[in-house]
Every structure is written in structure tokens, then in C-alpha cells.
Amino acid sequence: MPEVEIPMWFVSFCTALLAAFFGSLLAIKKFKKEKIWSEKYKAYQDVLSALEAMLLWANETYCHQKMIPTKGTQGIEGGNWPSFSEARRVIAKTTRVGSLLLPTEVIDELEALESDLWNENFRTDDERYYYPNTHEESEAIAEHADNVEKLIKPRLKAIIQHAKKDLG
């Protein structure tokens, strides 16, 4: 049986083709990994910004009701801070669709926060209904703001820890 000699140009062509194929596989894998990391970072950034805006609202509202000087950001429209309701919307949206990117622990924290904030709002609205335009209403609003801050702070710390692990 005669021995068939493979031309050198064919060997070079096949080697270059294989190298290009594996190089493109590695590049696509790296691109996907970086894209997912970028999307996670954006999701965490949105959640943390929303929680910070809610904390700012709680602090400003509490100080305003107690006549304590504040940073002066309450009531500023068109600023960089989303309103409390917009921040709640970001949290609610993230609990629904964020599970595509964020770990279950973060989603669980956000769902628990949503539930606690719902209960706190219900409690406060009930108190304000019975004491409209009185000192007691002002105290109820201040207590509400303080309770909101107490609900958010530990969850903010927990989510930051999860973000560090997830993005690190």
C-alpha cells in the first residue's frame, strides 16, 4: 500500500483553523462571563441605590418630623435620588426578575424587606387615619420613618456582603 504524503500547506491550514476555532471559543466564553458580571454589577448597583434612597428618605422624614436639621435633600425634585416609591418599585422589580442574575439569598432578603415594608406602611396608615393633622400623626410619621430605617439597614449590610462574594 503506497504511503500518502500530506502536503505541508494543508497541515499549516488545519493547524491555523484549529487555533482560530479554539481561540474563538475562549473569546466567546470570556465575553459571556464578562457580560454576566457586568449585568450583575448593574443589578446590585440598582438595588443598593434604591435601598440608599429609601434610607435617605427615612432619615430626612424622621428629622423633618422631629424638627432636626437635615442634609436638605427632602423634597428636591429632579435630583439624583429616586423617590421612596420609585425605590420601592426597583426593589419589587428585582424580586420578580432579579433571580435570573442574583443569588437566592439576595432575592430572599429583598422579598422579606418588601413584606416588612408593606406591613409597616399598613400599620402607619392605620394610625394616621385615627389621628389626622395632630401631633400624634406627626409622631406616627416619625416612628414610621425610624422603623423603615431599622428594616433597611441590616438588609443593606447583608446584600453588600452577598454582592462582595458574588462579584469578587
Side-chain angles (χ1 to χ4, degrees), residues 57-59 61-66 117 120-121 123-125 127-128 131 135-151:
W57 172 87
N59 185 274
T61 301
Y62 179 83
C63 291
H64 179 74
Q65 294 299 320
K66 296 289 187 174
L117 287 173
E120 174 58 26
N121 283 348
R123 183 199 64 77
T124 302
D125 287 344
E127 280 188 26
R128 290 174 64 189
Y131 306 110
H135 175 70
E136 286 81 6
E137 180 189 31
S138 179
E139 287 297 316
I141 293 170
E143 181 185 355
H144 171 62
D146 190 43
N147 288 342
V148 166
E149 185 173 352
K150 288 176 184 173
L151 291 171

Side-chain angles (χ1 to χ4, degrees), residues 10-168:
F10 185 72
V11 172
S12 297
F13 174 75
C14 288
T15 304
L17 192 63
L18 280 173
F21 176 73
F22 287 117
S24 67
L25 283 179
L26 290 174
I28 289 170
K29 185 176 180 179
K30 182 180 177 189
F31 173 77
K32 285 181 179 180
K33 186 177 180 180
E34 287 175 356
K35 185 70 175 167
I36 289 172
W37 187 92
S38 175
E39 292 295 322
K40 280 185 179 187
Y41 181 80
K42 173 100 173 72
Y44 278 118
Q45 191 176 29
D46 291 345
V47 166
L48 294 175
S49 293
L51 292 174
E52 182 60 30
M54 292 164 73
L55 278 177
L56 178 68
W57 172 87
N59 185 274
E60 291 287 312
T61 301
Y62 179 83
C63 291
H64 179 74
Q65 294 299 320
K66 296 289 187 174
M67 296 183 184
I68 300 171
T70 68
K71 298 172 191 167
T73 56
Q74 185 180 34
I76 295 177
E77 294 298 324
N80 291 336
W81 296 100
S83 70
F84 188 81
S85 59
E86 290 169 343
R88 289 269 319 257
R89 177 68 189 120
V90 168
I91 299 301
K93 181 179 115 182
T94 303
T95 60
R96 304 302 183 283
V97 297
S99 59
L100 291 171
L101 292 171
L102 302 178
T104 306
E105 297 86 11
V106 173
I107 300 302
D108 291 345
E109 288 284 345
L110 294 175
E111 286 176 345
L113 176 62
E114 270 294 296
S115 176
D116 290 346
L117 287 173
W118 179 264
N119 291 334
E120 174 58 26
N121 283 348
F122 183 76
R123 183 199 64 77
T124 302
D125 287 344
D126 196 38
E127 280 188 26
R128 290 174 64 189
Y129 176 76
Y130 290 111
Y131 306 110
N133 302 320
T134 63
H135 175 70
E136 286 81 6
E137 180 189 31
S138 179
E139 287 297 316
I141 293 170
E143 181 185 355
H144 171 62
D146 190 43
N147 288 342
V148 166
E149 185 173 352
K150 288 176 184 173
L151 291 171
I152 294 172
K153 274 189 174 181
R155 291 192 171 95
L156 178 63
K157 288 179 183 179
I159 291 172
I160 289 172
Q161 291 303 317
H162 287 298
K164 284 180 179 179
K165 279 192 261 178
D166 194 22
L167 297 174

